[in-house]
Amino acid sequence: MKMNTKDYPNGDIVRFLREYANLTQKDLAKHLRKSVRTVQRYEAGELKIDIETIKSICKLCDLSLMIESNRKKKINHHSNKKEL
């Protein structure tokens, strides 16, 4: 799966990934070792999500994460075979 995250607010991305993995907010919170309220705040866009948490969510969803800088250098973080 390919997704350009520039087109979506961070909260929408977190919710999309959680739903893609068929997880509840409680399930995701447990996996991330965070409170359900924190997951709710991520999804509402009230709280910025750090890259390590995004990587954990991608790993849980069996997705790879590719980060592209403004300099057009690509950094790949692979969980498995799918692409985000």
Side-chain angles (χ1 to χ4, degrees), residues 1-75:
M1 169 179 42
K2 290 186 180 184
M3 175 185 224
N4 186 344
T5 58
K6 294 177 194 175
D7 297 334
Y8 303 93
N10 286 342
D12 287 349
I13 295 165
V14 174
R15 185 177 61 253
F16 175 82
L17 292 174
R18 177 181 59 77
E19 290 173 352
Y20 176 83
N22 293 315
L23 298 172
T24 65
Q25 289 178 334
K26 184 177 180 180
D27 295 333
L28 182 59
K30 184 177 180 180
H31 173 77
L32 297 175
R33 297 184 182 148
K34 299 193 184 283
S35 70
V36 173
R37 181 65 185 130
T38 296
V39 171
Q40 291 170 339
R41 291 180 68 205
Y42 286 151
E43 291 187 7
E46 297 171 4
L47 187 63
K48 295 267 184 189
I49 189 166
D50 61 90
I51 191 65
E52 293 304 317
T53 302
I54 293 171
K55 286 168 48 177
S56 292
I57 294 170
C58 287
K59 183 176 181 181
L60 177 65
C61 296
D62 195 26
L63 297 169
S64 63
L65 173 67
M66 184 174 73
I67 301 169
E68 191 172 316
S69 74
N70 291 335
R71 296 182 198 150
K72 301 296 180 191
K73 280 186 175 181
K74 292 182 180 180
I75 304 168

